[in-house]
Amino acid sequence: MELTDLYTYAFLETPHSPLVLPQGVRGPVTLVTGNQVSALVEPGISPAFWESDDEKIVQMAVCHDRVICEMFEQITVLPLRFGTCFDSLDNLLKHLAWQEKEYKSQLDKIRDKTELTLKLIPHTFLEPVVSEKGGRNYFLAKKQEYENQKNFVNTQNREKQNLIDLITKEYNLPAVVQEQKEGIKIYVLININEKIHLEEKFLNWQQACPRWDLVWGDCLPPYHFIEH
């Protein structure tokens, strides 16, 4: 019976030795083998399975990342966006054949590489307590407080930019910077064996950024360094 509704987690170079395939959201994941590039799929899952059910969306998203990460521990994978589906085996094989050169090129670029996340959590400027309100001394204190806060923010921004420049220019590492409400995330693409080297630099980076708390994330597939 032909496979249909192929939920597709990732593309990978067609393996030359057996892989341990993970469990999907409803059943086992399987490998659809192309010439040079293969697809990691779970048959029998169409968008109708999750798109109208918030609980299933969360379940699918968690499973999507888990499957990709489990495979990443064994082989270089090209992660696909959540929700990628092919309606038939024939269409998936045609797609692999058509895009084989592009996918192979991307896989070659990220081979033996991992994505590290460096979180920068900003410190908050602590306002001094002004004991009396009103009068000349009060307004002078408020003016000084404003200047101190402005200097704090400017210095904090310089620390952040100096760290980004250090990573991207001195170490010449590909990086993606995302500014979020709760802080900054710097996604860095490194060779797997470079992680220890960067961790040795971490203390120096933290000392150079006293107005930030720096936190390393786990090694992940290079989600932010692939072209969809």
Side-chain angles (χ1 to χ4, degrees), residues 65-85:
D65 283 342
R66 176 183 57 77
V67 168
I68 290 172
C69 287
E70 287 184 21
M71 290 303 300
F72 175 67
E73 293 177 358
Q74 304 178 61
I75 193 171
T76 300
V77 296
L78 197 63
L80 299 181
R81 292 186 187 278
F82 170 70
T84 301
C85 292

Side-chain angles (χ1 to χ4, degrees), residues 12-225:
L12 59 152
E13 192 170 355
T14 299
H16 300 294
S17 56
L19 298 171
V20 178
L21 300 180
Q23 187 76 6
V25 71
R26 297 176 72 180
V29 171
T30 189
L31 199 64
V32 172
T33 304
N35 182 23
Q36 295 188 68
V37 177
S38 296
L40 192 68
V41 307
E42 185 173 350
I45 298 183
S46 69
F49 171 71
W50 75 82
E51 60 187 4
S52 60
D53 187 324
D54 289 345
E55 186 176 336
K56 284 185 178 177
I57 290 174
V58 173
Q59 182 185 11
M60 284 291 299
V62 171
C63 178
H64 184 88
D65 283 342
R66 176 183 57 77
V67 168
I68 290 172
C69 287
E70 287 184 21
M71 290 303 300
F72 175 67
E73 293 177 358
Q74 304 178 61
I75 193 171
T76 300
V77 296
L78 197 63
L80 299 181
R81 292 186 187 278
F82 170 70
T84 301
C85 292
F86 292 87
D87 59 1
S88 70
L89 179 61
D90 185 55
N91 283 340
L92 173 55
L93 289 172
K94 286 178 180 177
H95 178 81
L96 288 175
W98 179 257
Q99 296 290 337
E100 182 179 78
K101 185 177 180 180
E102 172 62 25
Y103 292 147
K104 183 67 166 57
S105 174
Q106 289 196 53
L107 285 164
D108 288 341
K109 288 178 182 177
I110 61 174
R111 188 183 314 282
D112 298 324
K113 295 184 184 294
T114 187
E115 175 180 303
L116 273 178
T117 305
L118 180 61
K119 297 180 183 179
L120 280 67
I121 304 170
H123 291 186
T124 303
F125 176 75
L126 298 178
E127 299 180 8
V129 178
V130 180
S131 57
E132 62 177 78
K133 295 186 177 180
R136 184 171 182 272
N137 288 339
Y138 171 77
F139 289 107
L140 286 174
K142 294 300 289 183
K143 180 182 178 182
Q144 185 61 52
E145 177 189 325
Y146 171 77
E147 291 296 327
N148 290 344
Q149 184 175 22
K150 185 171 68 173
N151 290 337
F152 179 91
V153 171
N154 288 340
T155 304
Q156 192 175 57
N157 286 333
R158 282 198 301 272
E159 290 173 2
K160 174 195 70 176
Q161 192 56 53
N162 288 342
L163 179 58
I164 293 171
D165 289 344
L166 179 69
I167 291 171
T168 58
K169 296 178 181 178
E170 183 169 333
Y171 294 121
N172 198 30
L173 293 173
V176 174
V177 180
Q178 289 185 352
E179 301 211 12
Q180 302 173 338
K181 184 178 181 181
E182 65 275 13
I184 311 294
K185 285 187 177 180
I186 305 175
Y187 301 97
V188 185
L189 185 68
I190 64 168
N191 291 324
I192 292 174
N193 57 8
E194 290 178 336
K195 183 174 185 288
I196 295 177
H197 173 69
L198 285 186
E199 287 177 338
E200 291 172 351
K201 303 290 185 184
F202 181 79
L203 182 59
N204 292 336
W205 293 359
Q206 180 63 83
Q207 291 173 345
C209 299
R211 292 160 186 82
W212 299 85
D213 287 328
L214 274 57
V215 181
W216 274 126
D218 296 327
C219 289
L220 294 172
Y223 292 106
H224 293 84
F225 299 92

